[in-house]
Amino acid sequence: MIKWFSLGFWELIARIVLRNRILMLSIIVAITALLAMQWKNIHFTFTEANLLPDDNIVNIQYNAFLNKFGEEGNLVIIGVKDNAIFTPKAYASWSKLMNTLKGDQAVDLVISLNDLKKLQKNDSLATFELVPFVDQSKTVDPAYLQKIRKELFNDLPFYEGLLFNKRSGSIRSAVYMDKKIVNTAARKDFVLDKLVPAVETFEKETGIDLRVSGMPYIRTLNAKTITDEISIFIGASLLVTSLLFFFFFRSFRATLISMVIVIIGVMWSFGFLGLLNYEITVLTALVPSLIIVIGIPNCIFLTNKYHQEYKVHHNKAKALQRVTTKVGMATLMTNLTTAIGFATFVASNNQLLLEFGVVTSINIMALFFLCIIVIPIFHSYIPAPKERHIEHLDRNYVKVFMDWILRNVKYNRFSIYVVAILLLVISIIGIYEMRISGSLIEDMPKKEAFFEDIVFFEKEFDGVMPLEIMIDTKRKKGVMRLSTLRRMEELEETIDEIPELSKPISIVNLVKYSKQAYYNGNPEYYELPTSQEQSFILSYAKNATKNSKDNLMKSYVDSTGQFARITTFMRDENGDNIAKIEAEIRKKADKLFPPSQYNVSITGKALVFQKGTGYLLDNLLSSLVFAFFLTSLLVAFMFRSFKMVLVSIIPNLLPLLLTAGIMGFLDIPLKPSTILVFGIAFGLSVDDTIRFLAQYREELKKNNWKIRKSVYATFTDAGLSMFYTSIVLFFGFSVFMLSSFGGTIALGGLISLTLLFGMLSNLMLLPALVLTLNKTLANEQEFIEPKIDIIEHTDEEIDNFEKNK
């Protein structure tokens, strides 16, 4: 055993793998079986991604709001813009649809035209009664339906903006789901198995197009689309990468084993998701495809090295041993840097990114061990490569391209630097054009019908993204004081004047409606009561809200009467202006509600998402800096040279800046999906840097520390693999552009573009910088040897080992 370790770690690994092939394969099969048993624990997320940590003040305020008023995302809205709805046949179908939904146990309340209630004064009981607005026995009369349409639009201002748009004539129904099931699988069952079929039946019966939206509906169809796309991504990734692999190597067997390796990697990725009990989110759904795209370059690098070694001496056993011995550490380092790129997401203090970073990093390292074990074993069982299999090493079009790059590195380094500086300047100009997006729906699939429905409600009812204002009166029953109601009314007037927001809804609306009802439904009295009227009108209103399941406003005052809620909606296109909107509301609220008497908080999904985007940007930039730092430490450990740290960072920083500049010029905003690009792309691009520098380190030893000769030898040996792997990564990530989600399309396209820039930078700028900055490193003493051997052994050392063996 002592003798084995003295031969070197990677020689030991190669011997263990090749001498225990059956055992190694049995272990892999056993691990695969064990992880496959964890698939039963895989489940899709039923909650929305929260980009903020739990202890953030914005989250604390939002959770306080939910504790008082419950889940706000339980509303499904069904709208129609067609006067035909007020005809007997269509109205009957509409009533049938609403009654079907109302009778479902998943539904808590339905507010719709067919069973709309209006307030009516009952003097004998000193209260208001909720009486039916529509006499169902008369709905077969077209004239009656036109009469109630006119009355709805002209005499019930309470429902304007809530159930109808007076200007356009569109109406909608509000379906409030049971808050207990909104974040469970029961929500999906209701939407897909009950709601969607019922809507389709109505449309078939009447020929009227219905529009459906609301967070439960959007989240369910979004999740379904994500689930459907997982198989598309996996299939497309396998197809693209296998075709590229075969195009490069012209070997069905080598292509097959590469596909087997990445398929096992995909199986493991699902297994780790189940083992860690992580949910499938919009990010973790990408992991299986990432494993395919990242795994194939490993297979290419090891297969290409095997072919290079076999071409030299035509000894299959020696070539297989040297694949592990010569490039084992370099391959480990490249996979480690990729894993680090994903692992930095753990530092973001965000659960969604933490899970994505953890499971991806684990799978990347697992994939490395799969490749380093399975590829040598597989090739040991099949015949040695034929001439057609290694022709790619001298393929003319690739050779011409690589020779062109090498000539520029040798003779035109100044031109390379000029182009790099010019691109840097252009990138910086583009970066100043970048903007941050706070849109909740920008990344949703725009070709899906439910996205068109969102646009409909955005236009007809001024948005679907809720913005909430919670008012703490600091005393029980303080909300129903007339002074508080007047302050709330003035704040609502300010909100109503903000063009980006819809008409607000609060207890104030009910009190105004109460006064209208007290005066026999005259819409001219839709206003707050005077100080003389308040005693009897407010008492009527309080009596009307007791123990009433159909009370529309029960969600706008808490049970103690201390907390009130004002709800408004915002068009998604105004997400970028939310900071300005919040400041305007805050300024008015501070003026109206003295902090000594009231506590006002502004919250809601739209605000939380926008704040989360900003937080995510700050944290991912920090994670990217951390990734640069870790890479610098790795290079410093390899070379003990600050210059080499600069050499490794500059070629990988430039592609990131170029991509950021292009985003600015093309008006691609920074948002959760595009922010991820930089960390992922850096982790992948730096692989080529580490691979080149590791090979360069070895060539220095072989060539007596002659820098120029070592750089050229490194380029000749490692350049082809860098080119192959970069091409695979480019087309592999392009697969994500098949998605219907704007965020996934941007992620795939921008990463592909960054990796293309990274390939050119690592093939041209990196060797040029090594030659320029390392002119003074002319002797071995200036490269202090690492304490462990992290680079491949020379051919002479390996030959001596094999003779002594």
Side-chain angles (χ1 to χ4, degrees), residues 232-243:
I232 295 174
F233 290 153
I234 292 175
S237 299
L238 282 172
L239 178 64
V240 169
T241 53
S242 61
L243 288 176

Side-chain angles (χ1 to χ4, degrees), residues 577-703:
N577 299 326
I578 198 166
K580 183 189 75 172
I581 295 170
E582 180 190 11
E584 192 170 346
I585 295 175
R586 173 59 63 188
K587 180 180 178 181
K588 187 67 174 180
D590 290 344
K591 181 180 178 181
L592 291 172
F593 299 93
S596 59
Q597 302 175 40
Y598 301 93
N599 183 30
V600 180
S601 59
I602 304 172
T603 185
K605 289 187 184 297
L607 182 68
V608 171
F609 184 83
Q610 199 272 344
K611 297 283 187 182
T613 300
Y615 176 86
L616 189 63
L617 174 60
D618 294 339
N619 277 269
L620 287 180
L621 288 176
S622 301
S623 299
L624 188 59
V625 171
F626 184 53
F628 274 104
F629 174 72
L630 291 178
T631 302
S632 300
L633 284 182
L634 181 60
V635 175
F637 176 73
M638 290 171 61
F639 290 95
R640 305 295 201 273
S641 168
F642 177 71
K643 289 181 180 180
M644 292 304 292
V645 172
L646 288 179
V647 165
S648 68
I649 294 299
I650 292 173
N652 292 290
L653 181 59
L654 182 60
L656 299 183
L657 294 175
L658 275 172
T659 300
I662 289 174
M663 288 174 63
F665 286 125
L666 298 181
D667 196 33
I668 301 173
L670 277 174
K671 49 189 176 181
S673 54
T674 54
I675 292 171
L676 294 174
V677 167
F678 300 98
I680 296 175
F682 174 75
L684 294 169
S685 178
V686 79
D687 282 1
D688 284 342
T689 304
I690 298 298
R691 186 171 289 137
F692 185 94
L693 294 179
Q695 184 69 26
Y696 169 62
R697 183 70 173 79
E698 172 57 23
E699 294 296 337
L700 282 170
K701 293 166 61 179
K702 289 169 61 177
N703 293 292

Side-chain angles (χ1 to χ4, degrees), residues 471-587:
I471 301 168
D472 178 7
T473 63
K474 298 185 178 181
R475 64 172 70 184
K476 290 186 178 181
K477 301 182 180 179
V479 171
M480 295 303 289
R481 291 166 58 93
L482 187 58
S483 59
T484 300
L485 294 172
R486 285 176 174 169
R487 294 174 194 268
M488 291 176 64
E489 182 185 36
E490 191 171 345
L491 179 59
E492 289 184 18
E493 289 172 355
T494 299
I495 293 172
D496 207 19
E497 292 172 358
I498 299 175
E500 294 91 347
L501 300 179
S502 68
K503 181 181 177 181
I505 308 168
S506 73
I507 187 64
V508 173
N509 299 67
L510 177 60
V511 175
K512 288 181 177 181
Y513 190 26
S514 298
K515 181 174 179 177
Q516 179 187 352
Y518 187 82
Y519 288 101
N520 300 316
N522 189 338
E524 294 182 2
Y525 287 94
Y526 184 73
E527 60 187 11
L528 286 177
T530 64
S531 55
Q532 291 79 18
E533 297 168 329
Q534 66 170 318
S535 58
F536 53 88
I537 291 181
L538 290 184
S539 66
Y540 270 57
K542 291 175 183 177
N543 291 335
T545 58
K546 288 180 179 178
N547 303 319
S548 175
K549 184 179 184 297
D550 292 331
N551 173 24
L552 174 62
M553 305 308 293
K554 66 179 180 178
S555 295
Y556 288 87
V557 180
D558 80 317
S559 58
T560 67
Q562 178 177 333
F563 293 87
R565 162 190 183 185
I566 300 175
T567 299
T568 182
F569 292 90
M570 182 178 64
R571 291 189 180 188
D572 187 72
E573 64 191 29
N574 298 314
D576 296 346
N577 299 326
I578 198 166
K580 183 189 75 172
I581 295 170
E582 180 190 11
E584 192 170 346
I585 295 175
R586 173 59 63 188
K587 180 180 178 181

